[in-house]
Amino acid sequence: MLAFLGLIRREKPMAHNAPLALNIQEILAQCLIGLANSPRDLLSCSLVASSWTDEAQSHLFRHISIGKRPGDEYTKLQILTVEKALILYEALSSSSRLRRHIRAVSIVLMGSNPINTTICKIGCLSFPQLHETSIFMDKIYPDVLEALICHPTLRTLRVSLMLSSFAGLVDIWPRCAPSLRHVELRWLIFGGTELLDYTAVSRPRIRIPALRLDNLEFKDDSERSYTYGFALHPFDLSDLRALSIGTRSELGYLWKELLPPHAFRACQFLDISYMFLIDISLLPNLSELRATLGYPAAVIVSMIASIPPQHAIHKISMSFRQYDPTADDYRALDAALLDLYVHNPHRVIVFEVMSFLKPTISASFPRLTEKYVLHWSENDSWMDANDLWWKNVIDVL
């Protein structure tokens, strides 16, 4: 039963004249890098010989995922059954060596799934080299949540919550790990929400360079103020270098009410799906702007027009989603983007489109197409494109 984790092995005697290159750890390590996204092959490698086990397991256990949501990847060690979760828990709880391999943990705690109890046990273990965690919950599991978000080596935190109340979260959330650098929040709060005092938990705020907000939903203005204030309470945004604002997250409110006036002076990467008119001249260090054309194009045209000719912005990406622009919208965007390019021919203009839309969109931007200005990024899903853009930004920071 332990074979699926590579925790047992079968050793075979090598032939007398067998090459010994793969017994050299550096060569073995390079060979296994190519199998990093193939759990089945890594399992096989971990069973070859004792000299292969540790190196293979360092890739196999690097990112563990327990539970499943629709759309989850399968390139990591993914545990979906109670039986395998129990085996994993026994292996990790009894081996600090295995826990040292783990850099990322993803957990899904939804509904009354029998696997939830074991997931909580695994989440409460100590992971000495944990750098990244993704948490999906439809209610608060205090012990596991605190163990993961307060981990002293944590750098990247993704939290998706679907809650009927903030109770249970108020005492934990402000105590996020001081080592955090990248934070992604997707919060849906529903039901009669009691607005509890989260400011009572006081500690130095964590300076983070990258923040991604998506689907922070609320019912009225008082709840909106509370939700945003609570979500951002642990963090110092004065040196924010990358900001992504997704659907249903109000950039206008965030910009006007919650962020300090100088918060965006350091911003280098800005991604917006919720349209709000921004004066780009107030962002002197902005290098890349990405806008999703999901709302009337006039806002984007005005925003592009606010970019001074001498501005340092290098790349403008347009992501085409469900919104169907009018012919006037296309003409206005075509002219605004071309003017931006004419002022600085070194600027890069990228259109992110689903493959089947490329001919139509290309024909709708005749001036950009005629000048061979456009670069294309084709994808099958705008959500995948959002995630890929953010991953590339995080890799740069």
Side-chain angles (χ1 to χ4, degrees):
M1 289 301 296
L2 297 181
F4 91 98
L5 292 178
L7 300 177
I8 61 174
R9 56 181 177 272
R10 300 179 295 275
E11 297 209 34
K12 299 179 181 179
M14 284 193 172
H16 291 300
N17 297 323
L20 299 177
L22 288 181
N23 279 342
I24 300 174
Q25 208 63 27
E26 290 79 5
I27 296 178
L28 175 62
Q30 290 300 313
C31 291
L32 292 181
I33 285 175
L35 302 177
N37 289 328
S38 178
R40 185 179 295 276
D41 290 329
L42 290 171
L43 286 171
S44 298
C45 290
S46 69
L47 305 177
V48 169
S50 58
S51 58
W52 287 40
T53 301
D54 195 63
E55 191 64 40
Q57 288 179 346
S58 72
H59 293 287
L60 183 62
F61 283 87
R62 189 173 185 86
H63 184 175
I64 63 172
S65 177
I66 316 160
K68 180 182 181 297
R69 301 185 316 149
D72 275 355
E73 299 175 12
Y74 286 88
T75 56
K76 52 214 173 223
L77 180 59
Q78 190 147 25
I79 308 299
L80 302 177
T81 67
V82 175
E83 182 182 41
K84 289 186 176 181
L86 285 169
I87 294 171
L88 178 63
Y89 172 69
E90 293 297 332
L92 294 178
S93 61
S94 61
S95 174
S96 59
R97 178 182 60 80
L98 288 180
R99 296 200 304 274
R100 279 198 299 272
H101 291 321
I102 295 174
R103 300 293 185 271
V105 172
S106 298
I107 65 167
V108 179
L109 288 163
M110 296 289 187
S112 55
N113 195 321
I115 200 175
N116 287 354
T117 300
T118 308
I119 292 176
C120 289
K121 290 181 179 180
I122 294 172
C124 289
L125 293 173
S126 172
F127 303 107
Q129 299 296 326
L130 185 65
H131 295 164
E132 177 182 324
T133 190
S134 300
I135 302 168
F136 307 90
M137 292 181 176
D138 61 0
K139 70 176 184 179
I140 298 300
Y141 294 80
D143 292 342
V144 65
L145 184 63
E146 183 168 3
L148 289 173
I149 73 170
C150 303
H151 206 284
T153 59
L154 194 64
R155 294 181 59 82
T156 298
L157 173 63
R158 300 181 184 91
V159 179
S160 294
L161 300 175
M162 295 192 302
L163 304 176
S164 59
S165 171
F166 286 101
L169 187 60
V170 169
D171 293 332
I172 298 172
W173 182 242
R175 300 203 300 269
C176 286
S179 55
L180 274 174
R181 292 296 174 267
H182 314 131
V183 176
E184 301 179 33
L185 303 177
R186 294 178 175 89
W187 288 12
L188 170 60
I189 310 298
F190 56 89
T193 304
E194 182 183 1
L195 306 184
L196 304 171
D197 182 14
Y198 58 82
T199 61
V201 182
S202 179
R203 61 177 297 173
R205 293 196 173 187
I206 304 158
R207 179 170 292 188
I208 57 171
L211 174 66
R212 186 183 188 189
L213 300 177
D214 195 13
N215 288 332
L216 268 72
E217 294 200 13
F218 42 80
K219 296 194 299 296
D220 53 42
D221 285 346
S222 64
E223 189 171 299
R224 173 178 63 179
S225 176
Y226 182 90
T227 301
Y228 274 87
F230 182 27
L232 301 179
H233 176 60
F235 310 116
D236 176 357
L237 305 178
S238 62
D239 192 31
L240 201 62
R241 285 182 282 157
L243 175 65
S244 176
I245 304 292
T247 55
R248 302 196 190 102
S249 298
E250 291 208 11
L251 177 59
Y253 178 78
L254 181 74
W255 190 285
K256 293 177 178 177
E257 304 295 334
L258 291 177
L259 296 177
H262 59 282
F264 287 99
R265 293 197 63 82
C267 189
Q268 300 170 8
F269 304 93
L270 179 62
D271 171 35
I272 51 175
S273 295
Y274 188 97
M275 290 297 103
F276 169 72
L277 183 56
I278 300 170
D279 184 352
I280 301 298
S281 66
L282 300 178
L283 285 69
N285 293 300
L286 189 66
S287 172
E288 182 171 343
L289 171 67
R290 180 176 183 266
T292 297
L293 198 61
Y295 297 87
V299 176
I300 298 179
V301 172
S302 298
M303 189 163 54
I304 292 172
S306 74
I307 302 175
Q310 71 279 9
H311 196 284
I313 192 167
H314 169 69
K315 184 177 180 181
I316 299 93
S317 298
M318 302 293 302
S319 177
F320 290 80
R321 204 178 75 193
Q322 299 168 341
Y323 172 68
D324 186 16
T326 66
D328 288 342
D329 287 338
Y330 278 131
R331 281 193 292 271
L333 273 174
D334 194 21
L337 289 169
L338 184 61
D339 287 346
L340 198 63
Y341 173 79
V342 168
H343 288 310
N344 184 348
H346 296 291
R347 286 175 176 150
V348 177
I349 300 174
V350 179
F351 279 8
E352 300 175 5
V353 299
M354 295 185 185
S355 302
F356 72 92
L357 290 175
K358 182 178 176 181
T360 301
I361 292 176
S362 179
S364 301
F365 289 85
R367 299 175 68 184
L368 290 173
T369 302
E370 182 181 292
K371 297 291 185 180
Y372 299 98
V373 169
L374 286 177
H375 299 255
W376 296 90
S377 175
E378 299 180 43
N379 52 72
D380 296 325
S381 162
W382 68 270
M383 292 184 67
D384 291 342
N386 292 346
D387 291 340
L388 179 61
W389 185 88
W390 185 250
K391 180 182 182 302
N392 290 337
V393 166
I394 294 302
D395 290 343
V396 171
L397 293 179

